[in-house]
Amino acid sequence: MTTSHIPALQLIAPEALALDAEFAPLSMALFKVLLRRHSSREFSPGELPLYALSRLLWAAFGVNRPQLGLRTAPSASNGQEIDIYVAMHAGLYRFDAQQLALLPVLAEDIRAATGCQDFVATAPINLIYVASLKDDSTRPETEQKFYAALDTGFISQNVYLFCAAEGLATVVRGWVDRPALAQTMGLAPHQHVIAAQSVGYPPSPQG
């Protein structure tokens, strides 16, 4: 991404955030995780600590076989064409799985632009799944978009399962103004917003 794609009034975020490389194993059996998996559109305003965000992003699409550069979710022909952008109060970042870091993109809070539902503006984390399509005559754009949607499904389900195991709330969202969001993010023409996913703590019980 180059700064020429970013609207003039938006600023580059000041610094990258290093993520925690230590991932303690989840203690919950897969059966229980599957029982708890559900969508939630209500979130506590509390922000996720960096450690929790590190584990979340690694589970979503991190490198689980470093010697091969392979990931926790499959992708068509191992294209790894999906980038995860993280929109939060502090700004917009891109997850770099190889460096295990959040790379700065914008210094402003764009959460409200990540979807058409009211809750997205205050959800602590909004993940944006962006596909980088190739100028490949052997695979037409429609086919690339199909596989990008499929690969996004694998990643978003990893997020669902992680959230179920960790007691977090999440919902994947397709109701997104994609052209407007791409412009806000400063995406290049070959980059396409596929979907978004909100993550946070569930609201505290009343009473």
Side-chain angles (χ1 to χ4, degrees):
M1 179 184 301
T2 63
T3 55
S4 61
H5 295 295
I6 300 173
L9 295 180
Q10 297 175 334
L11 302 176
I12 295 295
E15 59 185 14
L17 298 176
L19 299 176
D20 194 328
E22 295 297 326
F23 300 99
L26 299 177
S27 59
M28 187 176 294
L30 177 60
F31 177 70
K32 291 184 178 180
V33 173
L34 292 172
L35 284 177
R36 295 187 180 193
R37 192 224 65 81
H38 70 283
S39 295
S40 177
R41 294 167 178 81
E42 296 183 4
F43 302 90
S44 166
E47 295 185 2
L48 268 67
L50 193 59
Y51 176 64
L53 183 56
S54 299
R55 287 160 55 88
L56 168 70
L57 292 171
W58 182 84
F61 203 33
V63 177
N64 64 351
R65 287 154 288 175
Q67 67 277 16
L68 300 174
L70 299 178
R71 314 286 281 274
T72 58
S75 57
S77 301
N78 193 32
Q80 301 185 15
E81 80 282 15
I82 304 300
D83 279 313
I84 303 177
Y85 287 78
V86 182
M88 50 188 173
H89 176 74
L92 178 69
Y93 295 82
R94 181 178 63 83
F95 174 51
D96 187 315
Q98 303 296 334
Q99 297 185 49
L100 198 60
L102 286 175
L103 305 183
V105 180
L106 299 174
E108 65 181 272
D109 183 353
I110 69 159
R111 287 177 294 171
T114 67
C116 302
Q117 294 147 296
D118 291 341
F119 66 84
V120 306
T122 55
I125 297 293
N126 285 299
L127 306 177
I128 307 159
Y129 302 119
V130 174
S132 294
L133 304 187
K134 298 177 181 178
D135 185 10
D136 186 352
S137 58
T138 64
R139 180 173 290 180
E141 184 175 298
T142 54
E143 185 175 345
Q144 291 188 59
K145 286 184 177 180
F146 167 79
Y147 284 115
L150 190 65
D151 296 344
T152 294
F154 299 138
I155 296 169
S156 62
Q157 182 69 342
N158 279 358
V159 173
Y160 264 111
L161 296 178
F162 177 86
C163 289
E166 294 289 287
L168 297 172
T170 189
V171 61
V172 69
R173 302 183 280 99
W175 190 14
V176 179
D177 187 337
R178 291 172 178 81
L181 179 55
Q183 182 176 12
T184 297
M185 295 172 65
L187 297 182
H190 71 282
Q191 294 179 292
H192 298 264
V193 174
I194 304 298
Q197 188 165 10
S198 299
V199 179
Y201 291 108
S204 301
Q206 301 296 317

